[in-house]
Amino acid sequence: MTDAESWPYVLLLHGYTGAGRGHWQSWLAHELADAGAAIDVPVFSDPDCPSLDAWLGELTHHLEAAPRSGKRVVVAHALGAALWLHHAARVPADPALRVDRVLLVAPPGAAWRSPDVHGFTPAPLDAAGIRRAAGWTQLVTGENDAYLPVGEAVTMAADLKIDLDVIPAGGALDSRTGYGPWPSVLDWVRDRHTRLTAHATLP
């Protein structure tokens, strides 16, 4: 088996306004591409003024187009994580749409609102849907995320019956809190038993 074959196929779901060059998702995409992994990095329509129905349709399209052989992994950040929760609550038991693993990074809490975003929050917490959509789902949040308090993250993980990692001083786990390179998320893509930890450049 080549090194490239040891990596799963990875679908990255960006959040509100997308993921810029300094964002860990952009870093992760480059690292995976350099390793020879198969990746899909869609830019959802109108990311500055997203439509839930449009994004759900586009997500379904990308899942249907994903390779059917080998492991399939989804890594979703912020509004992309909320998108996955909506998808999981609606998805039928369809092998073409099911993936092996999902990492939900810093989804917005139920109270989060933006005037340009409609329908994404509160996201449904459907544990049965989460199990239909993926074989394994994990949640990671920053302890001081203004959009998802730790107590709410704990409740979310319990309601969904999934594992939770809390990153000290991680905030919203985006470029504003220093999350460009993030080695543990790359390690998690290869091995779900990896615990998500703070990036190595924290002071």
Side-chain angles (χ1 to χ4, degrees):
M1 178 180 290
T2 67
D3 187 62
E5 290 171 335
S6 69
W7 288 95
Y9 160 86
V10 182
L11 172 62
L12 300 179
L13 307 182
H14 67 74
Y16 178 36
T17 74
R21 291 182 62 185
H23 194 283
W24 62 265
Q25 281 190 323
S26 298
W27 172 85
L28 179 62
H30 283 102
E31 292 293 311
L32 290 168
D34 286 347
I39 60 171
D40 187 3
V41 191
V43 177
F44 291 110
S45 61
D46 206 358
D48 294 332
C49 191
S51 159
L52 176 61
D53 287 341
W55 281 29
L56 281 168
E58 291 166 14
L59 172 58
T60 298
H61 170 77
H62 285 275
L63 289 170
E64 289 174 339
R68 300 296 175 89
S69 61
K71 300 292 186 181
R72 307 198 303 175
V73 171
V74 172
V75 181
H77 181 243
L79 210 63
L83 171 67
W84 185 264
L85 291 172
H86 282 278
H87 164 77
R90 304 182 188 196
V91 68
D94 183 350
L97 300 178
R98 182 177 169 83
V99 301
D100 294 279
R101 290 188 281 126
V102 176
L103 183 62
L104 302 174
V105 182
W112 181 85
R113 297 290 185 276
S114 169
D116 295 319
V117 178
H118 303 283
F120 284 83
T121 57
L125 303 179
D126 183 342
I130 285 290
R131 291 193 296 274
R132 283 195 306 272
W136 175 268
T137 301
Q138 190 164 335
L139 173 64
V140 58
T141 188
E143 68 174 355
N144 54 336
D145 185 351
Y147 310 121
L148 181 67
V150 169
E152 186 176 353
V154 170
T155 299
M156 180 182 293
D159 288 347
L160 293 172
K161 299 179 173 59
I162 61 176
D163 275 11
L164 169 66
D165 287 325
V166 178
I167 306 297
L173 297 171
D174 58 17
S175 54
R176 292 172 299 177
T177 51
Y179 279 80
W182 190 6
S184 70
V185 76
L186 178 63
D187 293 340
W188 184 91
V189 167
R190 199 161 202 171
D191 179 4
R192 76 165 178 84
H193 297 288
T194 300
R195 305 311 307 190
L196 277 298
T197 59
H199 61 70
T201 57
L202 280 174

